[in-house]
Amino acid sequence: MKMNKKKILVCSEFFEPDIGGAQEIAKRIALILSEDNEVHILTSYNSARLNINDKYHVHHFRVTGNYVNGIKGDKNIVLNFLKNENFDQIIFYAAQQWTFDIFLKYDYLFNKNTRYFLIPCGFSKINFPHYYFYFKKIVHFSKYIEKFIFHTKNGKDFIYLSNKIKKNQIKIIKNGFIDNIPFKSVEIKNYYHMDANTKIIPYIANFNYLKGQIRLLKIFNNVKTKTPINLIFYSKSNFYDRFFYYRFFLFYKKFFFKNDMINISIHFDAPREYIETILKNSFLYLFCSRFEYSPLVIFEAIKYTLPVISYDVGDVNEVVKKNKFGLVVNNNKKFVSCLNRLLENDQMLTLFKNNIKRNKDLYSWSNISKKYVSIFK
């Protein structure tokens, strides 16, 4: 049964061709809603955004900042746009961005005839003293929000808001993987100079201290394996921390990394088919990030039935440990121990793989998207 056609605005400070988990989910929501509605995107200007997707209308503006730090740039043009357009629904992804905060700053933009939805996306600044009144203001304006959509009950956003808003305003929807987009498999053995019997372990994250690349090198320095491992780091060249990469990561790799059984490759700006092919042929997935909310890469690993070893961050416990998709740890020593066990114990590895095969459809976007559609109908 088709929904009545609505005019919907999806607000996300960053949107394609920007790269990131939030951008990806905002795009997915826009695409699924565009099947039966007129969808518009409010986002920041990107000079690389040459073409407008024919499934939705992108309105991008030279605006930066947020409520606390100040909204800077062409905000008056945005205000005129919002005043002159009448939307049936407005979906905010996420808080702490100007695309949501402009409504907090200029509350006359809230229209009683419009339905509002907020996907807070973590509240990373909740413990910053100068954000205290900002989050109080979100609670004050929660009366305008029909639904708050959280990805996890363990997030700072849910913990803060769950006892301050009405229970019927709360909805939990997990992240997930795209399961219906074909890709062209590519030849990887020669490209990455791999031996035929090597085990592949990818690490997909832009180089940054919080993403844990050095943490992973330290772990592999203490891993015992009789089989060679090809450890491949993937990163975008325009989103990584150059100081961290050159002064810390490469320095540690050159002078302190001593495990001869580990071959390290670094691939910037890898085409998607390379990453997909590597995931398809990988042994398992390791996750060493220091701070996360609901990392999409974990769901990509699940898509390819890869057992996961991860630090306890974001909603990893709810997904990996609860479903027995792998192991969740809290320190380097335990991480090394678990990795050594999986490298030697094929039975445990098979057990995790079988659990993933049985339950991974829980996290397929074709199933998760139905939950969003049911809310926005």
Side-chain angles (χ1 to χ4, degrees):
M1 179 175 164
K2 298 244 182 205
M3 298 183 294
N4 294 326
K5 190 169 185 177
K6 302 178 183 68
K7 187 176 180 181
I8 299 174
L9 180 67
V10 177
C11 302
S12 179
E13 182 174 359
F14 304 102
F15 199 77
E16 68 170 354
D18 299 322
I19 304 296
Q23 297 89 305
E24 175 64 22
I25 297 301
K27 176 186 173 182
R28 292 182 192 179
I29 291 172
L31 284 172
I32 195 67
L33 292 176
S34 68
E35 294 176 7
D36 298 294
N37 301 284
E38 178 188 331
V39 175
H40 297 254
I41 311 297
L42 176 66
T43 188
S44 293
Y45 178 80
N46 185 326
S47 59
R49 192 179 287 122
L50 300 176
N51 298 313
I52 295 176
N53 190 306
D54 60 2
K55 293 184 180 296
Y56 42 74
H57 310 277
V58 178
H59 309 273
H60 59 169
F61 300 92
R62 297 179 187 274
V63 178
T64 59
N66 61 21
Y67 185 92
V68 175
N69 297 322
I71 300 173
K72 305 174 183 65
D74 296 335
K75 64 182 179 183
N76 289 331
I77 299 175
V78 177
L79 290 171
N80 287 331
F81 165 74
L82 293 171
K83 284 189 292 184
N84 293 327
E85 296 284 344
N86 293 312
F87 294 101
D88 298 301
Q89 296 179 8
I90 295 181
I91 302 164
F92 301 108
Y93 200 109
Q96 302 173 187
Q97 298 183 354
W98 73 262
T99 44
F100 170 67
D101 291 0
I102 198 167
F103 283 79
L104 294 186
K105 182 78 172 177
Y106 304 97
D107 57 357
Y108 65 83
L109 293 172
F110 285 107
N111 185 330
K112 65 179 181 179
N113 296 318
T114 301
R115 298 167 65 199
Y116 296 93
F117 304 88
L118 172 61
I119 307 170
C121 224
F123 283 2
S124 61
K125 302 290 197 306
I126 190 70
N127 295 322
F128 288 42
H130 55 299
Y131 273 81
Y132 176 82
F133 290 106
Y134 170 78
F135 291 108
K136 289 288 186 184
K137 196 171 184 70
I138 290 179
V139 174
H140 176 72
F141 283 103
S142 65
K143 60 189 176 185
Y144 295 110
I145 308 297
E146 182 176 325
K147 281 283 188 291
F148 288 81
I149 303 171
F150 305 93
H151 293 320
T152 171
K153 290 184 178 180
N154 288 333
K156 293 178 181 180
D157 50 359
F158 181 87
I159 293 169
Y160 179 79
L161 287 174
S162 58
N163 63 353
K164 297 179 178 64
I165 59 178
K166 297 177 181 177
K167 298 303 178 185
N168 64 2
Q169 288 179 285
I170 296 173
K171 189 71 176 178
I172 308 291
I173 301 181
K174 303 301 292 182
N175 270 336
F177 58 84
I178 293 287
D179 52 338
N180 55 3
I181 298 180
F183 73 94
K184 180 183 177 182
S185 186
V186 295
E187 199 286 319
I188 56 174
K189 293 289 184 180
N190 289 333
Y191 186 88
Y192 292 107
H193 307 292
M194 297 180 187
D195 294 333
N197 64 335
T198 192
K199 289 180 177 178
I200 302 170
I201 298 180
Y203 199 81
I204 306 168
N206 293 325
F207 282 100
N208 183 296
Y209 170 76
L210 292 177
K211 292 300 181 181
Q213 286 92 350
I214 289 183
R215 223 181 191 184
L216 185 61
L217 289 185
K218 290 179 178 179
I219 287 165
F220 271 106
N221 239 351
N222 293 285
V223 164
K224 299 174 182 178
T225 176
K226 298 176 182 177
T227 304
I229 293 174
N230 199 299
L231 176 62
I232 308 172
F233 289 93
Y234 290 99
S235 177
K236 291 291 181 181
S237 62
N238 54 342
F239 286 102
Y240 78 111
D241 184 333
R242 286 168 172 78
F243 184 83
F244 167 80
Y245 176 70
Y246 287 105
R247 295 298 181 91
F248 292 96
F249 178 82
L250 291 184
F251 181 82
Y252 184 90
K253 175 178 175 290
K254 182 175 181 179
F255 295 105
F256 293 97
F257 193 77
K258 304 298 182 183
N259 194 332
D260 294 333
M261 296 301 290
I262 313 299
N263 179 52
I264 297 174
S265 300
I266 300 167
H267 195 165
F268 283 100
D269 301 321
R272 189 64 201 179
E273 57 264 28
Y274 278 81
I275 296 175
E276 298 278 358
T277 303
I278 284 292
L279 285 169
K280 185 178 179 180
N281 290 277
S282 290
F283 169 66
L284 51 77
Y285 196 82
L286 308 179
F287 195 63
C288 296
S289 185
R290 299 173 186 275
F291 181 82
E292 293 289 341
Y293 178 54
S294 182
L296 278 180
V297 71
I298 294 295
F299 299 95
E300 291 298 316
I302 291 168
K303 172 182 176 179
Y304 287 104
T305 320
L306 294 180
V308 175
I309 304 177
S310 173
Y311 283 91
D312 186 4
V313 291
D315 64 350
V316 171
N317 233 325
E318 297 172 41
V319 177
V320 175
K321 187 174 182 179
K322 178 182 176 182
N323 293 296
K324 297 181 180 179
F325 290 170
L327 300 163
V328 179
V329 303
N330 288 302
N331 59 66
N332 282 24
K333 185 177 180 180
K334 185 69 174 176
F335 203 116
V336 171
S337 174
C338 289
L339 181 51
N340 280 330
R341 284 166 62 196
L342 281 186
L343 287 170
E344 298 172 359
N345 193 329
D346 290 339
Q347 187 176 355
M348 180 182 289
L349 195 72
T350 300
L351 177 65
F352 289 143
K353 282 179 174 287
N354 288 338
N355 290 338
I356 297 171
K357 288 175 183 176
R358 280 194 296 268
N359 297 299
K360 67 171 157 181
D361 283 349
L362 291 170
Y363 305 106
S364 70
W365 183 250
S366 57
N367 287 325
I368 289 171
S369 63
K370 296 172 185 175
K371 299 179 181 180
Y372 281 106
V373 171
S374 69
I375 292 174
F376 302 138
K377 66 183 179 181

